[in-house]
Amino acid sequence: MALSPGDPSSYSRPDIVKTTHIHMDWDINFQEKVLSGTCTYHLTKVDPSATSVLMDVRDLDILSIKLENTGEELKHNIDRDTSFGSRLEIALPSDCSKDFRILIKYSTTAKCEALLWMEPNQTSGGVHPFVFSQCQSILARSMLPCQDTPSLKATYSASVTAPKDINVLMSAIRKEENQPVSDDKVKFSFEQKVPVMSYLIAIAAGDIKSKKIGPRSHIWSEEKYLEMAAFDFSETEKMLQTAEELCGPYVWGIYDILVLPPSFAFGGMENPCLTFVTPTLLSGDKSNSTTIAHEIVHSWTGNLVTNVNFEHFWLNEGFTKFTECKIMGRLHGEPYRHLLGIRDWPSLEECVNKNFGANHPLTRLVPDLKGVDPEDAFSVVPYQKGQAFLYFLETTVGGASEFEPFLKSYYDKFKYLSISTNDFKEYFLEYFASCEAVKTIDWDTWLYSPGMPPVKPNFNQSLAIPVYDLAGRWRKWSVDTSVACPFNEEDIASFNPIQTMEFLNSLFNGEPLTLLAIEKLTELYKFNESPNKEILYRWIRLGLKLQFEASAKSAVDLVTEVGRGKYVVPIYKDLYAWPEKRQLALDNFEATRFKLMSSARNDVAKALGIKE
Ligand code: BES
Ligand code: ZN
């Protein structure tokens, strides 16, 4: 079955007939765990000779397809032939006008990978059920029939009914107060006037409350997280303003944050008007609000200037990571920005050298995704290698004073469009045509060679030096614990949380500590009790590497409590690699897999050698 020439992950052909607007008329049914209703598609023939419309679908029950103005049923055909969905071909009548609308009546099924349905006992309130979606990269097609390619952008509107007492949110502006439609149902209406890619269509429903945290921002979440999130994300407005200085005007109106239940598999997701985040960001020390900066930046990189397909995903994530760190630098000083880069570098090394292998084609900045599910290609490579490339380009053109104005003009030039790496490259070369140093850039190695980046950013080490000093002293003491223990709680008192994370990175990546040393370290610094999951996670992995019993217990607790892929996948992998804990890992996954989102569940299953 021929795939779209422009997108190896989609069957749709917006170059022949394109969607300009979708209206969803949905009902949320928690009993059946289905989302059902009718979607109206505003379509335009790009090619006047078009005789059919192609869309992506996956595990949907299509009930009828009609032309809106005549009510005529349209013949359609679904080919079920790939691991990432099916091709829906809808035949058009011969007299179909250039602009027309069709209605598709359908329902999601139990196999829907975009939605996670939770029973009341899986929520913190315990009374009401909860459901939320995650469509990136190519799961929108399991929530609604659509042209599921980021090369296309369309506006959307929605009218959603849900049981009363349930609050419904979408990645859009809520139109008016909810309306009762019967004794036990209410209706919510939404509108997204900025054209968006299918993967940005998002919905969440549950016992969700809100708290205002800024002139254009609210926190939304179950009661449990509301105050904590308002504290941890109190810098949101400052971040938005800094992002606007760097990137241009914010076009989305509001910027709200939805704190999801712990099953959410990602740190954050840049759904427009409403970033989705994991509650694992809440630490009481604000240090994980870098993820908020990250999702804010996507309001330009990704949501305005968009990768044309997921081979060019680094245009979304590399630019976002780079700018996220710039915002943190503006807020907390340049050394802090560099410390973030230092902290995240080992995750790139682990990914490239250990998980994939340095020659693996998926370690290229621009991979070939023909026949590869983008979910399988997902890694830190587009983030970290992309960020390293932008660091390199910034240095090459003479620093931030030259590069930042370029970035701003690049966002302005390509806003509302979907582009490829080549569009970026051409504009960069045009903008810096008179810069001699630009001629020396080895584009092919950076973009298409596998392995670690050819140049490592020259990070300022000032905040890392005291961290390495302490880690070095621990390693030294670890080899001769006969001398009195020279450490105390105060050693790390002056570290900020990112420094503490880098301290644990350093111990993890250096000469292994003895069991006695990690026991003492745990007793003194109490990392096992840290409310900051980034710290707890690093302490757990350090312990698992040393086969420290207490870490195995914390590891199982963490992967049972939270479903964030960044934590559960490596931890399950580590437990699996420890022969005495392998069965425990397998049993725990079996017992708790229902709590995980499809992406995390598939990745853990793979890590545990389970064939799904
Ligand atoms: N857009 C991503 C999340 C994503 C990517 C979901 C691909 C599904 C497929 C989001 O912006 C992101 O990058 N999240 C990171 C946050 C981070 C790098 C600060 C995450 O979830 O860890
Ligand atoms: Zn991102």
Side-chain angles (χ1 to χ4, degrees):
M1 190 58 55
L3 281 159
S4 160
D7 187 340
S9 317
S10 171
Y11 289 111
S12 65
R13 293 291 303 269
D15 54 323
I16 300 175
V17 177
K18 71 171 186 204
T19 310
T20 57
H21 180 83
I22 308 176
H23 177 76
M24 297 84 125
D25 207 335
W26 273 340
D27 178 61
I28 301 177
N29 184 333
F30 283 104
Q31 256 94 50
E32 308 277 328
K33 298 194 165 84
V34 296
L35 187 65
S36 65
T38 300
C39 291
T40 309
Y41 300 81
H42 300 207
L43 298 164
T44 299
K45 285 183 187 170
V46 180
D47 176 349
S49 64
T51 54
S52 66
V53 188
L54 293 176
M55 290 196 187
D56 296 287
V57 288
R58 180 172 177 166
D59 302 317
L60 294 175
D61 266 348
I62 304 285
L63 303 173
S64 72
I65 303 184
K66 291 182 181 163
L67 204 60
E68 189 190 54
N69 60 349
T70 61
E72 176 188 352
E73 287 261 0
L74 299 177
K75 284 211 182 63
H76 61 273
N77 182 53
I78 298 175
D79 290 309
R80 302 193 177 275
D81 70 347
T82 68
S83 63
F84 47 86
S86 310
R87 174 181 179 270
L88 167 63
E89 180 166 23
I90 306 162
L92 297 175
S94 54
D95 58 352
C96 180
S97 55
K98 179 169 187 278
D99 296 304
F100 59 102
R101 296 179 185 185
I102 62 169
L103 307 175
I104 304 185
K105 190 168 175 211
Y106 78 101
S107 150
T108 62
T109 64
K111 285 196 194 154
C112 173
E113 298 214 356
L115 294 169
L116 192 70
W117 297 89
M118 302 171 62
E119 298 287 343
N121 65 11
Q122 286 172 259
T123 67
S124 77
V127 177
H128 297 287
F130 203 107
V131 63
F132 64 89
S133 68
Q134 168 61 41
C135 289
Q136 200 180 17
S137 301
I138 56 165
L139 298 178
R141 63 192 66 173
S142 76
M143 192 161 83
L144 72 161
C146 59
Q147 297 189 301
D148 199 6
T149 166
S151 61
L152 174 80
K153 301 187 186 194
T155 52
Y156 83 79
S157 53
S159 155
V160 185
T161 55
K164 79 171 184 349
D165 300 330
I166 291 291
N167 201 358
V168 180
L169 298 171
M170 288 193 76
S171 52
I173 307 280
R174 206 196 259 185
K175 280 214 306 223
E176 67 251 359
E177 274 310 295
N178 45 321
Q179 317 273 326
V181 287
S182 65
D183 282 353
D184 52 2
K185 272 194 179 180
V186 278
K187 186 175 102 179
F188 299 81
S189 305
F190 305 91
E191 186 149 24
Q192 181 50 267
K193 287 189 175 156
V194 181
V196 292
M197 306 68 81
S198 50
Y199 76 75
L200 291 181
I201 299 172
I203 186 165
D207 185 7
I208 303 173
K209 306 273 193 290
S210 80
K211 184 177 166 78
K212 192 170 163 74
I213 57 159
R216 46 185 151 174
S217 303
H218 284 78
I219 301 284
W220 297 87
S221 75
E222 282 198 88
E223 189 84 47
K224 175 178 178 187
Y225 302 121
L226 221 46
E227 294 302 324
M228 269 188 287
F231 177 81
D232 267 295
F233 306 150
S234 66
E235 292 167 322
T236 300
E237 178 57 26
K238 220 187 290 168
M239 290 172 172
L240 280 161
Q241 285 172 14
T242 311
E244 287 188 289
E245 275 163 42
L246 282 163
C247 306
Y250 182 78
V251 305
W252 307 90
I254 60 170
Y255 179 80
D256 285 355
I257 299 169
L258 169 65
V259 182
L260 287 166
S263 286
F264 185 52
F266 297 93
M269 175 64 212
E270 66 272 27
N271 295 316
C273 306
L274 183 67
T275 283
F276 285 18
V277 298
T278 163
T280 63
L281 301 182
L282 307 176
S283 56
D285 64 27
K286 305 191 184 187
S287 67
N288 299 322
S289 67
T290 49
T291 299
I292 301 299
H294 179 96
E295 305 313 334
I296 285 174
V297 174
H298 273 305
S299 307
W300 292 266
T301 52
N303 296 3
L304 277 190
V305 181
T306 308
N307 53 210
V308 71
N309 64 47
F310 290 103
E311 293 178 337
H312 303 278
F313 189 49
W314 83 278
L315 294 178
N316 282 18
E317 297 299 346
F319 281 73
T320 303
K321 191 86 212 155
F322 181 73
T323 313
E324 162 203 341
C325 291
K326 279 203 180 263
I327 291 181
M328 298 319 283
R330 297 282 206 281
L331 264 57
H332 301 291
E334 270 298 280
Y336 192 89
R337 165 179 175 235
H338 285 257
L339 181 66
L340 290 169
I342 292 171
R343 177 196 65 173
D344 291 340
W345 195 259
S347 64
L348 179 63
E349 285 174 327
E350 178 173 32
C351 171
V352 169
N353 295 327
K354 217 176 122 217
N355 298 350
F356 279 126
N359 287 319
H360 198 290
L362 290 178
T363 63
R364 292 160 43 157
L365 192 52
V366 183
D368 179 353
L369 294 186
K370 261 186 255 45
V372 180
D373 187 332
E375 314 294 326
D376 297 333
F378 180 78
S379 78
V380 301
V381 168
Y383 294 79
Q384 303 293 343
K385 200 174 187 175
Q387 149 152 275
F389 188 34
L390 294 173
Y391 257 96
F392 172 77
L393 293 179
E394 179 169 86
T395 312
T396 305
V397 300
S401 59
E402 307 298 315
F403 198 56
E404 286 178 4
F406 160 72
L407 286 179
K408 207 170 188 175
S409 94
Y410 160 74
Y411 302 141
D412 190 53
K413 180 171 170 72
F414 292 108
K415 66 188 177 208
Y416 307 114
L417 300 176
S418 302
I419 65 167
S420 71
T421 300
N422 226 26
D423 296 315
F424 161 71
K425 180 180 166 184
E426 276 175 16
Y427 185 59
F428 176 90
L429 291 175
E430 182 193 316
Y431 186 99
F432 290 111
S434 60
C435 173
E436 275 307 305
V438 157
K439 304 200 169 68
T440 64
I441 297 168
D442 183 355
W443 290 86
D444 280 350
T445 303
W446 274 104
L447 299 176
Y448 305 112
S449 285
M452 289 298 284
V455 181
K456 181 176 176 178
N458 186 13
F459 294 122
N460 170 331
Q461 301 269 330
S462 61
L463 289 172
I465 287 166
V467 164
Y468 299 148
D469 175 62
L470 182 65
R473 291 197 289 123
W474 270 96
R475 276 194 290 272
K476 193 156 160 247
W477 181 70
S478 176
V479 292
D480 184 11
T481 42
S482 64
V483 298
C485 175
F487 304 106
N488 65 56
E489 299 83 344
E490 292 305 302
D491 304 330
I492 57 166
S494 66
F495 286 177
N496 67 41
I498 312 294
Q499 286 177 301
T500 303
M501 294 166 204
E502 181 56 11
F503 172 64
L504 287 162
N505 279 351
S506 168
L507 293 176
F508 183 81
N509 291 312
E511 276 300 302
L513 293 183
T514 57
L515 278 176
L516 189 68
I518 178 139
E519 206 176 313
K520 191 73 195 165
L521 176 124
T522 305
E523 185 192 314
L524 287 177
Y525 304 154
K526 306 210 171 14
F527 294 136
N528 56 325
E529 295 169 14
S530 176
N532 188 322
K533 295 282 191 283
E534 285 291 317
I535 293 176
L536 179 68
Y537 161 73
R538 284 176 173 77
W539 171 81
I540 287 173
R541 291 201 69 201
L542 173 64
L544 293 178
K545 195 171 179 184
L546 305 173
Q547 304 202 343
F548 180 48
E549 203 53 48
S551 292
K553 164 89 174 61
S554 300
V556 172
D557 289 348
L558 184 63
V559 298
T560 303
E561 181 198 336
V562 314
R564 186 171 175 187
K566 177 181 173 184
Y567 301 147
V568 296
V569 177
I571 289 180
Y572 268 115
K573 234 184 233 173
D574 292 350
L575 284 169
Y576 189 78
W578 180 351
E580 285 77 38
K581 303 295 173 199
R582 180 168 292 187
Q583 197 55 45
L584 177 65
L586 292 164
D587 293 346
N588 199 69
F589 175 59
E590 258 333 292
T592 58
R593 54 181 290 154
F594 71 97
K595 291 203 257 180
L596 297 175
M597 282 167 67
S598 61
S599 59
R601 196 170 57 234
N602 294 339
D603 289 350
V604 172
K606 217 185 290 165
L608 297 177
I610 299 168
K611 285 245 166 359
E612 288 292 277

